[in-house]
Amino acid sequence: MAGNGETNGAARGEADSARIGVLALQGDFKEHAEILKKLGVEPVEVRTLEDLTGLAGLIVPGGESTTIGKMMVSSGLLDGVRSFFYKGGPVWGTCAGMVLAASATTGERQPLLGLMNALVERNGFGRQVHSFEADIDVEGFEEPFTGVFIRAPFFEDVGPGVEVLSRIEDRVVAARGENILVTAFHPELTDDVRFHEYFLREVCGL
Amino acid sequence: MAENGQHTGTFRVKSGMAQMLKGGVIMDVVNAEQARIAEEAGAVAVMALERVPADIRADGGVARMSDPEMISEIQAAVSIPVMAKARIGHFVEAQVLEALEVDYIDESEVLTPADEAHHIDKAAFEVPFVCGATNLGEALRRIGEGAAMIRSKGEAGTGNVVEAVRHMRAIVGGIRRLGVLDDEELMTEAKNLQAPYELVRWVAENGRLPVVLFTAGGIATPADAALMMQLGADGVFVGSGIFKSGDPARRGQAIVKATTHFKDAKVIADVSRGLGEAMVGREMGDLKEEERLATRGW
């Protein structure tokens, strides 16, 4: 059977570059992987528990949070990613990943990772016709960042240990904890790599 | 539109929505109950319609946009995106669906076309559109009109994957061919494809469509879904295949798993065990020319 390119790459001795996982159960994981490659780190598509071994960080991409959550339960990755995180593994969730990182939702119950002390409002900005792009100010960024918000969530409330990086009015759209970053928007849909650099530098310590 | 510095309806927002559906399964549903089953099975979105294609074939007559009441009920029942179909060229049905705030409109050959010569000007809408295509030229014409997502047409409501395979191979093969042409040849190829030159050039340079490419029309089993993914689809529409089968909930889940793990034959084998009856399929040779849906639109 054809193995995946990343594993073969590692076997060929590219051990020098850090390996960053991208959860590849569903969603725009390839877009994240492309940017990671440009930044000189090796992306690893994560579909099974074994794929989590040896990662310097993990991105939970955009997609449908209910679909990704259910597949994380059935594959054992819900507990796997939690244990990766609680051992200090750095995690970044974009959009669906931000929903999954929260400790509770305002709507119906769904599987969550619960990595961050926050209450999330799914599709908080409304249905697709209300999806938008906007230049937002981000803590620590000198220039505004173009956020692409697609049926995006926001944090309605955050608890201790969560640092807010950006808000739209009173809605939290970017935040971080010690080894976690979340964005309600999709830096992977833009050519601006500042958030990927921020994750690698500030959260993964690379 | 721009309000408070927020720009809605940009092409990036429309095509980005489809990017979030990649690796997923979009299921046809005809009521709120089926929509809940689909969401529970792991669907990334549902397509709300009054009759699945197999029933449209059986019933005959004119097939139109669904009752707004039914679409609203489905929107209220699930948290995943809800899509709905408009007839080819019927821009007022599309306006109605936009007013209902469906998340995506499928300008679909499964419904009876309202205009034999013109498709909808999709760029004029804030809501994104997905359109069917049987080959690369058709895909690029739809993108030229503003479609933010393409699906191979296949032959809906047959439970037979052969046409989906033909159309996916035609699109992916067409993309591959563009990659080896030189600059002089590209204009000629644009003429042959009857497609906008700028899009032909973009595809030649990037080796892919500028939007997400799903597959549709005849997918009935987990192996069908994985086959289409291995042929180059970004995700799968399943119409009649789930709710016309013996055990929709299990079959839905199985197709979702096979779509994620499409390269892993062990997973596909595992989810295919004891699934019960697949929908009854139809041989293409048994379809009369006027029964073929894929020839609708151009």
Side-chain angles (χ1 to χ4, degrees):
Chain A
M1 210 188 96
N4 72 42
E6 290 77 19
T7 318
N8 293 343
R12 281 199 302 272
E14 294 168 12
D16 291 339
S17 71
R19 301 168 79 240
I20 299 287
V22 186
L23 192 69
L25 295 174
Q26 191 271 318
D28 71 337
F29 50 88
K30 287 216 171 78
E31 285 77 349
H32 276 294
E34 285 303 315
I35 296 180
L36 291 174
K37 270 186 223 160
K38 271 187 213 158
L39 296 177
V41 295
E42 186 194 333
V44 178
E45 292 186 1
V46 174
R47 289 189 179 81
T48 64
L49 275 175
E50 296 74 57
D51 296 333
L52 286 172
T53 313
L55 297 180
L58 176 71
I59 298 176
V60 183
E64 269 310 307
S65 65
T66 52
T67 304
I68 297 173
K70 280 175 211 301
M71 300 200 70
M72 287 182 87
V73 172
S74 65
S75 60
L77 276 166
L78 198 74
D79 288 333
V81 171
R82 271 186 198 135
S83 101
F84 173 82
F85 173 79
Y86 285 111
K87 285 178 196 153
V91 176
W92 173 19
T94 58
C95 196
M98 173 169 175
V99 173
L100 289 162
S103 46
T105 75
T106 57
E108 281 180 43
R109 279 172 59 103
Q110 66 181 86
L112 297 174
L113 288 163
L115 310 181
M116 231 177 180
N117 192 354
L119 176 66
V120 69
E121 171 95 18
R122 276 186 66 199
N123 308 331
F125 293 93
R127 297 184 191 280
Q128 173 60 15
V129 288
H130 305 292
S131 292
F132 62 94
E133 299 183 22
D135 291 339
I136 54 172
D137 293 319
V138 180
E139 198 65 40
F141 284 28
E142 283 180 13
E143 300 290 327
F145 192 93
T146 302
V148 181
F149 293 79
I150 297 177
R151 286 170 47 96
F154 62 80
F155 282 168
E156 195 178 282
D157 197 15
V158 296
V162 178
E163 180 193 351
V164 173
L165 299 179
S166 185
R167 289 179 200 269
I168 291 183
E169 290 158 5
D170 56 350
R171 300 164 165 187
V172 176
V173 294
R176 67 165 294 181
E178 197 183 333
N179 58 330
I180 183 155
L181 174 68
V182 292
T183 54
F185 45 92
H186 297 280
E188 75 278 14
L189 295 186
T190 70
D191 295 326
D192 191 339
V193 298
R194 281 180 294 163
F195 258 101
H196 287 81
E197 288 174 339
Y198 180 93
F199 176 62
L200 296 176
R201 189 181 62 239
E202 303 290 331
V203 188
C204 301
L206 295 173
Chain B
M1 256 188 359
E3 210 176 305
N4 315 325
Q6 298 184 2
H7 302 271
T8 56
T10 65
F11 194 73
R12 182 155 62 179
V13 158
K14 292 176 174 180
S15 58
M17 167 78 213
Q19 285 170 274
M20 298 312 136
L21 301 172
K22 287 199 298 181
V25 180
I26 300 168
M27 303 184 191
D28 277 5
V29 297
V30 300
N31 55 43
E33 168 69 19
Q34 287 188 356
R36 278 188 215 103
I37 293 170
E39 184 175 48
E40 193 53 41
V44 289
V46 291
M47 176 74 70
L49 72 178
E50 259 160 25
R51 291 176 289 170
V52 294
D55 289 335
I56 292 176
R57 283 185 183 283
D59 298 352
V62 173
R64 311 179 180 91
M65 176 188 81
S66 297
D67 183 345
E69 182 64 28
M70 181 270 256
I71 293 170
S72 299
E73 280 169 20
I74 288 172
Q75 285 174 315
V78 294
S79 65
I80 55 179
V82 176
M83 303 183 167
K85 290 181 192 286
R87 282 179 266 179
I88 290 173
H90 204 315
F91 50 85
V92 174
E93 283 188 349
Q95 290 164 5
V96 171
L97 293 175
E98 182 171 58
L100 293 172
E101 299 195 355
V102 302
D103 294 295
Y104 240 92
I105 295 177
D106 184 1
E107 185 183 22
S108 177
E109 70 282 0
V110 168
L111 304 183
T112 311
D115 189 325
E116 291 181 335
H118 308 93
H119 284 254
I120 298 170
D121 171 20
K122 292 165 276 286
F125 287 77
E126 298 248 311
V127 65
F129 281 75
V130 55
C131 286
T134 58
N135 56 50
L136 181 58
E138 192 175 5
L140 295 180
R141 287 192 291 279
R142 297 295 84 77
I143 296 166
E145 293 158 355
M149 179 181 188
I150 293 294
R151 55 174 173 76
S152 59
K153 279 182 178 170
E155 197 50 49
T158 61
N160 188 339
V161 80
V162 65
E163 294 300 298
V165 169
R166 185 197 316 282
H167 299 156
M168 186 55 66
R169 282 197 183 276
I171 294 168
V172 173
I175 293 170
R176 228 177 273 134
R177 246 191 322 278
L178 285 187
V180 298
L181 299 183
D182 65 23
D183 286 352
E184 286 87 4
E185 291 169 316
L186 280 180
M187 183 59 89
T188 309
E189 190 60 12
K191 173 180 167 252
N192 294 339
L193 290 169
Q194 301 182 34
Y197 174 71
E198 290 307 324
L199 287 174
V200 169
R201 212 184 159 79
W202 194 96
V203 171
E205 277 164 16
N206 292 276
R208 61 177 181 88
L209 290 182
V211 302
V212 165
L213 172 64
F214 266 50
T215 185
I219 289 98
T221 69
D224 286 350
L227 171 69
M228 298 312 299
M229 294 295 287
Q230 288 199 26
L231 284 173
D234 291 318
V236 180
F237 282 90
V238 186
S240 320
I242 289 173
F243 288 99
K244 283 286 162 190
S245 73
D247 187 345
R250 270 198 66 200
R251 183 164 294 266
Q253 267 181 32
I255 292 178
V256 167
K257 279 200 181 139
T259 301
T260 288
H261 300 280
F262 67 94
K263 284 184 192 161
D264 191 334
K266 279 191 187 143
V267 172
I268 302 166
D270 201 38
V271 300
S272 302
R273 278 174 211 279
L275 269 190
E277 286 288 303
M279 72 175 283
V280 179
R282 289 191 62 181
E283 183 59 53
M284 286 308 129
D286 297 344
L287 289 185
K288 297 195 199 88
E289 198 49 43
E290 62 270 25
E291 284 186 284
R292 292 201 171 228
L293 304 178
T295 53
R296 294 169 167 181
W298 50 278

